Amino acid sequence: SNGTPESEPEAPKRPRLLVPGAEPPAPAPVTPSPTAPERPASPPATQTMPKPLKPPEDAPPSLHTTGQQTVGEEAAEAAPDAPPPAEPVIPTVPLKAASTPPQAVPVAQAVPVQPTQIPTAQAVPTGQAIPTGQAIPTGQATAPPQAGFGQTSIGSGASAKKGLSSSAKISIFSVLGLLILLFGWLLVSKMGSNKQTERYNELVQLAAKPETKELEVNGADLKILLDSVKTGANRSRETVYKALSIAKSTDGTDVDEEIAKFATQDLLNDDIRINLLSRVLRKRANPSSLNYLLQYSRDTENETVAAAAITAVTEIGGEDQIDDYIDVIQFTSSNNIRKAAEGALSTVLKKSEHREKWGDNLAEKQAEASDDSTRRSFIRLLGIAGGEKAREVLEEVLAGDDKLDKLAAIEAIKVWPDDSMFGVLMDFLDGQTDETLRPKAFNAGYVFLMDESRERDDFDNEDFWKRLANNAKTAAEQDTVISGLVRTETSDWAISVIQYFADESDNDRVIDRAEQGIERIREKLKIQGGGDEDEDDEE
């Protein structure tokens, strides 16, 4: 029936949970049968619980005495998500209402709750049925469920999930907006990159054709070519250099200025920069790039690239850049850059129609020079410029005590614009005994006479060669004079100078060379129809 009979035993109370580290509770004493005499009331809770009865030695293991807790823990570790083991069925005996209170049923372990389950009612030990229609006693507290992964705590409002704050929402929307913009930018960049690649291919294909002498570009095309210089392979880069060399603007872009900016301001390796300076800009020869090249040559510490920039300036510029070269010579700390500027200035001075004016300027600069290297650069340049002031400076230097200054003066005389300084050089050579200065002075005299650009009459030419021959003291110097005369002269006075070495030299090799030289000059005279044959005919 739906009612509960009075004879049925009272539902057992829920097992107590074990506290980790605490002693397990002792099993309850065996309940006496209903026929047994009533036992006295249970002792107070403060008294020690009676010890459990020990089974006989030969009895099978009891569920109440075996180490159930250890087995349960090992099983939970082996399968943490497995359902809990079933509880053993504990036999109970009906108790009288006036008898002792029901004893708590000891259990070996707490019943774990499945992680994915949310307990909504009191847990009941497995194997023990709840009578139909009987309510679970409300005086017993239910154990709180253990929190697990994916488990939501239900209870107080403080533990409920809170909504996002306004600042968090703004941050999320900001990040999403940035991601959308980035994706759009990447998409547009990809599309733009494809178009740039197509245009690049068109430009280099046109430039690679031998018949292409001019390549029309706009500002965007020029940027594509310049950017490709940094990333392209060496083989394709050569075609890009040609494209830049013949590029012509179609939209007003100053191609030369843009290339000069790129070559002097962008991060490039030395090889690319030198090619842009010495090949591209030098070939284009547009003055709009001069300021960038000169500024770079002043500021950079890279001597090789600075020299390339100065060389390009030499090809592009002219006399207007002389003051710039002088500034580089005066203020650079690099000897190599100074030499490059000196060479560029020499090239410009040789083309100038105002050499003497610049000679006066250089004479002042050498007197004001703050260091020896700068002063000697200006001394050498005096030979290119010429002029009266330059002559006076060189004569003073040759008469001075500084050997390196004298060597600079000798180099200057070697390139003097006219023949007026040859006598000064020979006077210095006549009494020279220094083993360094003497060969330098002799070589300078030889270079001076071999310069075919100088206009000199035959009388002066004979006199100059004889003076040099008189100062040829060594076998090497005598051989040098013989070789020079054979190469440049077809006259009787040349034969007489060479004959002197054949007669007076102590070196057999020099004598042989002199005799061979005389024969060669006579052969040239016969071909020309002059010389000894003309004299024989007159006789």
Side-chain angles (χ1 to χ4, degrees):
S1 61
N2 295 334
T4 303
E6 294 181 2
S7 61
E8 288 185 3
E10 182 180 354
K13 296 184 180 180
R14 192 178 189 278
R16 291 188 301 168
L17 295 175
L18 293 179
V19 179
E23 292 292 336
V30 179
T31 307
S33 64
T35 57
E38 294 183 2
R39 298 180 63 182
S42 297
T46 57
Q47 293 183 358
T48 305
M49 298 293 292
K51 294 182 180 180
L53 295 177
K54 185 175 182 182
E57 295 180 357
D58 58 348
S62 172
L63 295 175
H64 301 286
T65 58
T66 55
Q68 295 177 357
Q69 181 177 3
T70 304
V71 173
E73 291 175 352
E74 292 176 356
E77 292 179 359
D81 295 332
E87 291 289 342
V89 179
I90 302 174
T92 58
V93 179
L95 299 178
K96 293 183 179 180
S99 65
T100 59
Q103 300 293 323
V105 180
V107 292
Q109 67 178 31
V111 179
V113 180
Q114 288 296 328
T116 57
Q117 294 177 347
I118 300 177
T120 56
Q122 180 181 3
V124 179
T126 306
Q128 187 169 356
I130 300 176
T132 305
Q134 181 177 356
I136 297 176
T138 58
Q140 296 179 350
T142 58
Q146 297 180 354
F149 180 79
Q151 192 169 350
T152 303
S153 176
I154 301 176
S156 63
S159 61
K161 184 177 179 181
K162 296 182 179 179
L164 293 174
S165 63
S166 298
S167 60
K169 292 179 180 179
I170 293 174
S171 300
I172 293 174
F173 287 130
S174 299
V175 172
L176 290 175
L178 289 175
L179 291 175
I180 293 172
L181 290 175
L182 178 61
F183 177 77
W185 179 82
L186 291 174
L187 182 62
V188 173
S189 298
K190 182 65 176 177
M191 295 173 62
S193 177
N194 292 337
K195 292 181 179 179
Q196 290 178 355
T197 301
E198 293 176 1
R199 182 55 179 161
Y200 166 79
N201 292 332
E202 293 175 359
L203 292 171
V204 295
Q205 287 174 4
L206 286 172
K209 296 179 179 179
E211 64 271 17
T212 303
K213 305 300 181 184
E214 192 175 83
L215 184 66
E216 293 186 348
V217 298
N218 56 28
D221 295 337
L222 182 60
K223 187 177 186 307
I224 291 173
L225 291 174
L226 291 175
D227 289 342
S228 69
V229 170
K230 294 188 290 187
T231 58
N234 291 333
R235 183 173 57 184
S236 62
R237 192 178 292 136
E238 289 296 317
T239 307
V240 175
Y241 289 148
K242 180 188 176 184
L244 292 171
S245 298
I246 61 176
K248 181 182 178 181
S249 177
T250 60
D251 61 353
T253 301
D254 192 330
V255 176
D256 297 277
E257 183 178 6
E258 293 301 319
I259 296 175
K261 283 182 183 179
F262 180 82
T264 58
Q265 297 177 5
D266 269 50
L267 184 62
L268 304 171
N269 64 47
D270 289 353
D271 182 66
I272 294 175
R273 199 183 304 278
I274 289 173
N275 276 287
L276 290 172
L277 296 175
S278 62
R279 294 175 59 183
V280 177
L281 291 175
R282 186 177 177 182
K283 183 177 180 180
R284 295 184 66 86
N286 194 308
S288 63
S289 62
L290 286 173
N291 290 335
Y292 295 95
L293 298 176
L294 287 168
Q295 187 65 40
Y296 182 82
S297 65
R298 293 188 193 101
D299 297 341
T300 185
E301 296 180 358
N302 191 318
E303 299 176 349
T304 304
V305 183
I310 292 173
T311 302
V313 173
T314 307
E315 297 294 325
I316 299 170
E319 204 164 340
D320 293 339
Q321 281 69 50
I322 289 180
D323 286 331
D324 295 311
Y325 297 134
I326 292 175
D327 287 343
V328 174
I329 294 171
Q330 283 181 307
F331 301 113
T332 185
S333 60
S334 168
N335 286 330
N336 289 334
I337 295 177
R338 183 181 295 108
K339 288 179 181 178
E342 181 183 332
L345 183 51
S346 298
T347 302
V348 176
L349 287 174
K350 288 178 181 179
K351 301 176 183 178
S352 175
E353 297 180 356
H354 310 92
R355 286 195 185 188
E356 188 169 346
K357 181 193 75 172
W358 291 113
D360 295 345
N361 190 355
L362 293 170
E364 295 175 0
K365 296 296 182 183
Q366 70 84 30
E368 300 170 356
S370 59
D371 63 270
D372 295 340
S373 297
T374 301
R375 182 179 67 255
R376 288 162 191 154
S377 288
F378 288 131
I379 290 174
R380 287 189 291 267
L381 288 167
L382 289 173
I384 300 291
E388 188 59 31
K389 280 191 176 182
R391 178 189 176 97
E392 293 174 0
V393 171
L394 295 180
E395 288 179 347
E396 291 175 2
V397 171
L398 290 176
D401 298 328
D402 193 307
K403 182 185 290 189
L404 294 179
D405 282 1
K406 289 181 179 181
L407 289 173
I410 291 171
E411 293 296 315
I413 294 174
K414 183 167 64 176
V415 293
W416 193 259
D418 55 37
D419 291 342
S420 61
M421 289 296 288
F422 186 79
V424 175
L425 179 63
M426 291 298 103
D427 291 342
F428 176 79
L429 182 60
D430 286 342
Q432 190 56 242
T433 58
D434 186 272
E435 294 181 355
T436 302
L437 294 174
R438 190 186 179 285
K440 290 291 185 180
F442 182 88
N443 181 69
Y446 175 74
V447 172
F448 192 100
L449 294 178
M450 293 294 292
D451 186 357
E452 297 179 356
S453 65
R454 300 179 185 276
E455 296 181 0
R456 187 183 308 120
D457 60 34
D458 193 59
F459 178 80
D460 289 338
N461 201 32
E462 178 182 355
D463 181 55
F464 290 171
W465 276 104
K466 285 182 178 180
R467 288 201 66 180
L468 183 65
N470 288 333
N471 282 288
K473 306 301 182 182
T474 66
E477 292 173 352
Q478 292 170 2
D479 189 63
T480 296
V481 172
I482 295 170
S483 298
L485 288 172
V486 171
R487 288 172 57 189
T488 60
E489 297 298 330
T490 54
S491 60
D492 293 335
W493 64 262
I495 293 176
S496 64
V497 171
I498 296 174
Q499 187 64 51
Y500 171 81
F501 292 125
D503 297 339
E504 302 296 332
S505 179
D506 296 332
N507 188 285
D508 292 339
R509 183 173 180 276
V510 171
I511 294 173
D512 291 341
R513 291 292 302 272
E515 291 175 351
Q516 293 172 4
I518 291 171
E519 290 298 323
R520 290 189 62 183
I521 292 177
R522 285 177 175 173
E523 290 176 359
K524 288 194 295 183
L525 287 172
K526 289 179 181 179
I527 294 173
Q528 293 178 358
D532 292 342
E533 290 185 355
D534 292 340
E535 294 177 358
D536 293 339
D537 292 340
E538 290 177 3
E539 292 177 356

